[in-house]
């Protein structure tokens, strides 16, 4: 059984005075395996929050189905074993984090001793010990985010769904959230989290889905999605060369950087590396290194966004014609 199964999920909103149709998510399919950290990656407005809200049973899909922990959504049973951190969580200002957790524990029907123990552990885990009795209104954005994470974990869920858990956090806060996700995974839990920031996903996700404009562009292991070789980097020691000779090398490369007597040339994916290296030898440069250059996740993202733009343009043109 998969932790999450999504099939043909679509959510259409009507927007503005003209009731223009907006497909917030369009016919998406993906699966989250048990025990993995799955990153849901896409720019703002891509449809991440909409998808998560559908999975949580907070809004109904226009079409399609989804199962969570084996239960068709919306499911009360699944809800018991789920933890959810909404985007920009809002809490009652005058509550403290320990009161918030106690309240959450009551909703799940936990006894007083259980609640106290669990809440102590979680306050420790998210690093809010010193602020445990202060009102949430005195919390910074990062502290509220931690309180939200603690609340999502109060029922010791098998599956946690975090909507942009790193957003609004400083680099240390982001690292803390990454560590919490890894820790949850180590405990055998499934983590499904969204982000619009590549580096947040890169370091913790076993697999990712890239969503752009409501369409899933790619699902898979990070390594597979970013493995394409986009070129070759050749570095020469050019201290002995004059500028005119050096420029013969520059002509053959897509991009060239000169720093500290070293010339770093980026060659395109189809360029002839052998003849470039030979040309270097011929003009008297010393070869330092030749290495393949792989696409970064950043590149994939830009490509997905461009594809998305194209698709949207075609759709708009089709709609204008019909
Ligand atoms: N309640 C709503 N009414 C109308 N449009 C909405 C609503 N919620 C989201 N949208 C639109 O759906 C798209 C996807 O939004 P969202 O799921 O919030 O994306 P993300 O979380 O990836 O930033 C956006 O174009 C957004 O404006
Ligand atoms: Mg969102």
């Amino acid at each position: 059984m998969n932790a999450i199964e999504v099939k043909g999920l679509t959510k259409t909103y009507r927007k503005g005075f003209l009731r223009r149709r907006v497909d917030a998510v369009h016919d998406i399919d993906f699966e989250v395996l048990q025990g993995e950290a799955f990153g849901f990656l896409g720019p703002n407005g891509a449809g991440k929050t909409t998808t998560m809200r559908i999975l949580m049973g907070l809004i109904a899909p226009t079409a399609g189905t989804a199962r969570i922990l084996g239960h068709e959504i919306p499911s009360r049973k699944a809800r018991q074993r789920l933890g959810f951190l909404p985007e920009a969580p809002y809490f009652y200002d005058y509550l403290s984090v320990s009161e918030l957790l106690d309240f959450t524990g009551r909703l799940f029907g936990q006894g007083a001793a259980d609640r106290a123990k669990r809440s102590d552990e979680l306050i420790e885990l998210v690093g809010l010990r010193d602020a445990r009795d202060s009102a949430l209104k005195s919390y910074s954005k990062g502290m509220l985010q931690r309180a939200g994470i603690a609340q999502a974990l109060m029922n010791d869920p098998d599956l946690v769904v975090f909507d942009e858990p790193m957003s609004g956090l400083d680099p240390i806060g982001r690292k803390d959230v990454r560590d919490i996700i890894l820790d949850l995974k180590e405990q055998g839990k499934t983590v499904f989290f969204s982000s619009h920031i590549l580096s947040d996903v890169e370091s913790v996700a076993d697999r990712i889905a890239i969503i752009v404009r409501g369409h899933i562009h790619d699902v898979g292991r990070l390594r597979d999605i970013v493995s394409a070789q986009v070129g070759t980097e050749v570095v020469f020691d050019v201290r002995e060369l004059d500028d005119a000779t050096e420029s013969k090398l520059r002509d053959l490369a897509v991009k060239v950087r000169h720093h500290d007597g070293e010339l770093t040339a980026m060659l395109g994916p189809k360029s002839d590396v052998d003849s470039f290296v030979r040309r270097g030898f011929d003009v008297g440069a010393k070869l330092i290194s030749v290495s393949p250059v792989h696409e970064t996740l950043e590149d994939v993202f830009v490509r997905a966004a461009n594809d998305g733009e194209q698709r949207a343009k075609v759709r708009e043109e089709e709609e204008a014609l019909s």
Side-chain angles (χ1 to χ4, degrees):
M1 181 195 76
N2 294 319
I4 299 177
E5 283 173 20
V6 168
K7 235 181 147 41
L9 214 58
T10 298
K11 179 71 185 180
T12 307
Y13 288 114
R14 294 273 173 188
K15 247 186 173 170
F17 177 67
L18 294 175
R19 313 276 299 149
R20 198 165 57 85
R21 270 182 46 206
V22 177
D23 278 350
V25 291
H26 185 88
D27 195 19
I28 61 170
D29 299 317
F30 65 91
E31 281 155 15
V32 177
L33 311 180
Q34 280 200 44
E36 74 177 346
F38 189 96
F40 201 33
L41 186 63
N44 286 323
K48 304 179 296 293
T49 298
T50 301
T51 305
M52 288 180 158
R53 289 172 64 90
I54 292 172
L55 291 176
M56 290 303 104
L58 297 171
I59 50 174
T62 311
T65 56
R67 295 176 80 81
I68 281 203
L69 301 168
H71 302 281
E72 189 89 23
I73 56 148
S75 156
R76 215 171 248 276
K77 253 198 184 130
R79 193 72 191 85
Q80 290 291 319
R81 295 165 55 208
L82 265 180
F84 178 48
L85 171 74
E87 190 172 27
Y90 173 81
F91 306 115
Y92 184 61
D93 278 353
Y94 294 94
L95 233 47
S96 69
V97 68
S98 47
E99 285 164 344
L100 172 74
L101 296 184
D102 189 70
F103 173 74
T104 307
R106 277 170 198 268
L107 291 182
F108 283 106
Q110 296 164 348
D114 269 1
R115 294 201 303 272
K117 179 165 175 287
R118 184 83 190 134
S119 133
D120 281 348
E121 284 168 9
L122 289 173
I123 287 169
E124 199 65 36
L125 175 77
V126 300
L128 287 176
R129 191 174 3 141
D130 294 341
R132 60 173 296 146
D133 296 315
S134 323
L136 293 170
K137 73 178 162 98
S138 68
Y139 276 27
S140 67
K141 174 113 207 279
M143 289 163 80
L144 283 176
Q145 197 78 339
R146 289 154 194 265
I149 290 174
Q151 186 188 32
L153 299 175
M154 192 61 189
N155 59 330
D156 195 20
D158 298 327
L159 166 66
V160 295
V161 176
F162 290 161
D163 195 359
E164 304 263 359
M166 285 107 167
S167 98
L169 303 186
D170 59 17
I172 296 172
R174 306 186 104 84
K175 186 184 175 300
D176 288 347
V177 172
R178 279 202 293 271
D179 288 345
I180 290 172
I181 292 176
L182 291 173
D183 191 58
L184 290 169
K185 216 178 69 170
E186 216 151 89
Q187 292 171 36
K189 300 184 187 305
T190 308
V191 185
F192 176 54
F193 72 105
S194 69
S195 178
H196 61 283
I197 296 182
L198 304 162
S199 56
D200 289 342
V201 174
E202 215 157 14
S203 47
V204 277
D206 299 300
R207 292 195 311 137
I208 58 168
I210 295 179
I211 181 168
V212 177
R213 284 176 178 256
H215 292 260
I216 298 245
H217 180 81
D218 231 330
V219 184
R221 300 206 147 261
L222 217 67
R223 257 194 312 281
D224 298 333
I225 293 180
V226 299
S227 67
Q229 186 175 340
V230 292
T232 306
E233 190 188 78
V234 180
V235 185
F236 279 118
D237 179 338
V238 291
R239 269 174 299 190
E240 316 270 285
L241 303 192
D242 56 47
D243 288 352
T245 319
E246 200 189 304
S247 72
K248 286 184 185 159
L249 282 176
R250 289 177 180 259
D251 294 347
L252 289 176
V254 178
K255 210 169 70 190
V256 171
R257 214 170 50 234
H258 194 162
H259 179 71
D260 214 12
E262 283 182 11
L263 182 101
T264 303
M266 176 71 180
L267 306 183
K270 291 197 182 79
S271 52
D272 185 348
V273 180
D274 285 355
S275 57
F276 181 77
V277 171
R278 210 168 305 128
R279 169 92 67 101
F281 287 146
D282 288 348
V283 297
K286 289 197 195 82
L287 183 65
I288 296 175
S289 67
V290 178
S291 38
V293 176
H294 294 289
E295 195 178 43
T296 65
L297 203 46
E298 201 85 50
D299 299 331
V300 175
F301 210 16
V302 170
R303 188 158 50 83
N306 289 340
D307 287 358
E309 296 279 332
Q310 284 306 113
R311 256 204 306 261
K313 247 186 223 146
V314 171
R315 256 205 317 278
E316 271 161 26
E317 279 162 16
E318 279 169 0
E319 265 169 31
L321 287 174
S322 69

